[in-house]
């Protein structure tokens, strides 16, 4: 596990205690893509699949964590990240452990976001997260979150 992964996991477990109860782990921060692990057992529902609310939390947290790490890389530490809006779809059940993946947005979108924040102290960014059954590639969940960064 990289230093950034350990750092983010400690931030999540400290600042958002629910992440400890969910068993959430940071798998990787590599080439501006964040991957989180969600175990089935603490997130199981009555159908023995992963609870939709846990999947929603995992998707939101992947975007939040992605933004937290990228801002740290940019040297921006004075901002507060909040989720403003989220849209989720559950095309497949999650029948075991899950992996939430948040890749980087388009570089032009990122540059505009940074410029807005530096100028106005507030900016909004849409991030896409997908969740897959561990060891599979098909999207079990797709999520778009609107994140706001403000001073």
């Amino acid at each position: 596990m990289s230093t950034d992964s350990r750092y983010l996991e400690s931030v999540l477990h400290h600042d958002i205690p629910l992440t400890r109860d969910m068993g959430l782990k940071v798998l990787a921060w590599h080439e501006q893509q964040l991957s989180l692990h969600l175990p089935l057992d603490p997130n199981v529902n009555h159908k023995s699949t992963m609870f939709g609310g846990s999947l929603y939390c995992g998707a939101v947290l992947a975007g939040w964590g992605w933004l937290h790490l990228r801002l740290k890389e940019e040297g921006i530490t004075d901002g507060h990240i909040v989720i403003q809006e989220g849209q989720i779809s559950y095309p497949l059940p999650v029948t075991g452990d899950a992996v939430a993946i948040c890749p980087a947005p388009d570089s032009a979108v990122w540059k505009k976001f940074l410029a807005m924040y530096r100028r106005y102290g507030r900016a909004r960014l849409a991030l896409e997260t997908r969740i897959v059954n561990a060891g599979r590639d098909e999207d079990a969940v797709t999520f778009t979150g609107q994140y706001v960064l403000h001073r």
Side-chain angles (χ1 to χ4, degrees):
M1 183 188 279
S2 74
T3 303
D4 285 329
S5 296
R6 276 195 298 277
Y7 160 77
L8 179 61
E9 192 170 295
S10 71
V11 167
L12 289 170
H13 288 183
H14 180 268
D15 293 355
I16 307 171
L18 172 68
T19 59
R20 287 193 310 261
D21 294 335
M22 292 175 68
L24 183 139
K25 300 283 183 209
V26 176
L27 285 177
W29 172 246
H30 182 67
E31 295 180 359
Q32 296 181 1
Q33 177 170 287
L34 179 63
S35 301
L36 304 178
H37 175 258
L38 294 165
L40 179 62
D41 286 347
N43 299 292
V44 73
N45 66 17
H46 64 291
K47 299 278 191 186
S48 299
T49 60
M50 196 166 291
F51 174 57
S54 293
L55 291 165
Y56 185 88
C57 286
V60 168
L61 290 162
W64 188 96
W66 185 93
L67 187 50
H68 186 86
L69 289 175
R70 279 297 285 124
L71 290 168
K72 183 176 176 264
E73 288 179 352
E74 293 285 343
I76 296 173
T77 57
D78 64 346
H80 301 282
I81 305 165
V82 295
I83 179 87
Q84 182 181 48
E85 185 179 330
Q87 293 177 306
I88 195 160
S89 177
Y90 303 90
L92 293 173
V94 175
T95 56
D97 290 359
V99 178
I101 303 157
C102 184
D106 181 77
S107 63
V109 170
W110 176 247
K111 285 180 181 142
K112 182 179 176 188
F113 170 81
L114 287 176
M116 292 291 288
Y117 181 71
R118 287 179 173 134
R119 184 167 183 181
Y120 300 108
R122 182 179 176 91
R124 184 178 315 156
L125 182 67
L127 294 172
E128 310 272 335
T129 296
R130 55 194 283 266
I131 299 180
V132 298
N133 281 281
R136 311 289 289 281
D137 197 42
E138 306 89 359
D139 291 350
V141 174
T142 56
F143 174 81
T144 302
Q146 289 282 345
Y147 295 85
V148 174
L149 178 68
H150 64 89
R151 284 199 185 96

